[in-house]
Amino acid sequence: MRKKKELEESSKSYVKPTTAELPTEDFSETEMLLQWNKYAERLGQKGLKIMESLLLINDPVLNGTAITFELPNEGSKLDFEKEMHGILGHLRGHLHNHDITIEVIVNETYESKRSFNDQDRYNRLLEINPNIELLRTTFGLDIQA
């Protein structure tokens, strides 16, 4: 009898907390991007370089708790959707908000902003961080052509 009771108690299923009990703290787009990039880096360290590059191909956009992520084709979308539960769990846990959702948009006309020569690379870095111009002028650096 005792064994039967122990078996019944151990086989009771886990009851998932309702959404009212889960945390829904506010977070900024910067915090979301930081966690997004940390997750991508962790995938890269595990050897999942393709998934890492998919996550870093474009910056996601935050609208409330909905994250919109744009990918260049359907194949990328299918690969991303395989990993979507993992990144959702990571973001929900680290940002303490279980209302987060991800919407994937396929944009076939997406143009990659790749730099082809030194001047293009410098201009791209200057877009990202305008202080590079101060660094260049302070040390008298030139761009090699």
Side-chain angles (χ1 to χ4, degrees):
M1 286 292 270
R2 189 171 0 132
K3 291 277 186 188
K4 187 176 180 182
K5 282 186 181 181
E6 287 175 11
L7 182 63
E8 286 176 7
E9 287 179 20
S10 67
S11 66
K12 288 183 181 177
S13 63
Y14 170 74
V15 177
K16 185 176 178 182
T18 63
T19 54
E21 298 170 8
L22 296 173
T24 57
E25 295 178 15
D26 291 336
F27 59 93
S28 68
E29 187 166 12
T30 306
E31 292 169 321
M32 182 270 301
L33 285 171
L34 177 68
Q35 292 302 325
W36 185 278
N37 291 333
K38 280 184 180 180
Y39 187 77
E41 182 181 322
R42 197 170 86 197
L43 287 177
Q45 290 171 351
K46 288 181 179 179
L48 300 170
K49 296 290 186 183
I50 294 173
M51 281 308 303
E52 177 186 22
S53 66
L54 274 180
L55 291 174
L56 299 177
I57 198 168
N58 197 1
D59 284 340
V61 179
L62 181 66
N63 295 323
T65 59
I67 299 170
T68 305
F69 188 58
E70 193 172 294
L71 289 170
N73 56 47
E74 279 295 323
S76 298
K77 180 181 178 182
L78 292 173
D79 289 341
F80 177 79
E81 287 175 344
K82 291 177 187 173
E83 190 60 41
M84 194 157 64
H85 293 295
I87 192 162
L88 267 174
H90 178 82
L91 292 173
R92 287 174 177 171
H94 285 84
L95 298 174
H96 307 291
N97 190 320
H98 286 263
D99 292 339
I100 296 173
T101 58
I102 297 177
E103 178 189 358
V104 181
I105 297 173
V106 175
N107 185 358
E108 298 277 344
T109 60
Y110 175 75
E111 293 180 18
S112 178
K113 295 180 182 177
R114 296 216 173 180
S115 301
F116 297 105
N117 61 33
D118 291 339
Q119 184 64 46
D120 290 339
R121 287 187 200 105
Y122 176 75
N123 290 339
R124 176 67 179 131
L125 289 173
L126 194 58
E127 286 176 19
I128 295 170
N129 187 351
N131 292 329
I132 289 178
E133 179 63 26
L134 176 65
L135 180 71
R136 188 184 69 78
T137 56
T138 302
F139 292 104
L141 302 173
D142 287 330
I143 300 170
Q144 297 290 326

